Amino acid sequence: MYGFQYWNYLVSGVRCYRVMTKAYSRCDAYWGDEDIDRVGWIAVTYHYLNNQQISPYDSDWYWCQVYFTSTRYTYEGLTYTNRKGTACHEMGHVWGLDHSSSPTNVMCIYDNGRTAYQPSSDDIAGVAYLY
């Protein structure tokens, strides 16, 4: 939750909060997806429109799913700070941001040397531009 909530109040109109019923959610988070464990990812975000998976970079979306692998996320040495950073990174994908090559941006891939665990000014500007 902390990694997701880092985005709150940084960009006008962007809020993340926990709901208890799927009917009210626009993003659901899950643990331990085997498919992404096989390719070595820590987490992945999928976007949907009309029950079909779509690219958020090409069109609007209605609902998304974030999967965190229990193996890499919790058991392979990610610190608490890096776990928050990974959740914050995936939330950036929820908002529609693509990867960044700058390690100081939370949208940089962890395995590419990301040092950020919360949104940078570039990350925030990206969401502001989109919305």
Side-chain angles (χ1 to χ4, degrees):
M1 283 306 297
Y2 288 121
F4 280 14
Q5 290 174 346
Y6 274 128
W7 289 97
N8 286 350
Y9 305 106
L10 293 177
V11 181
S12 179
V14 173
R15 302 287 180 271
C16 175
Y17 54 92
R18 188 176 193 161
V19 297
M20 300 309 289
T21 62
K22 188 174 176 180
Y24 289 98
S25 73
R26 293 293 174 255
C27 176
D28 295 320
Y30 302 94
W31 287 100
D33 185 80
E34 293 177 15
D35 290 336
I36 61 174
D37 258 343
R38 277 189 231 124
V39 294
W41 293 346
I42 299 170
V44 65
T45 299
Y46 298 114
H47 295 78
Y48 297 91
L49 181 64
N50 299 325
N51 293 322
Q52 293 196 4
Q53 187 177 338
I54 56 101
S55 167
Y57 318 117
D58 300 329
S59 65
D60 289 336
W61 58 274
Y62 180 77
W63 175 62
C64 68
Q65 297 172 306
V66 180
Y67 289 95
F68 296 94
T69 62
S70 56
T71 306
R72 288 202 67 201
Y73 192 78
T74 57
Y75 302 117
E76 288 188 6
L78 280 187
T79 65
Y80 179 69
T81 299
N82 283 327
R83 288 193 306 266
K84 287 190 298 184
T86 298
C88 190
H89 173 95
E90 292 307 316
M91 198 66 206
H93 287 312
V94 168
W95 303 132
L97 296 178
D98 203 351
H99 288 129
S100 167
S101 60
S102 172
T104 59
N105 293 345
V106 79
M107 293 313 298
C108 181
I109 297 172
Y110 174 76
D111 289 343
N112 288 349
R114 182 182 70 229
T115 58
Y117 64 93
Q118 58 188 341
S120 69
S121 58
D122 287 344
D123 299 317
I124 294 164
V127 173
Y129 173 80
L130 291 173
Y131 291 91

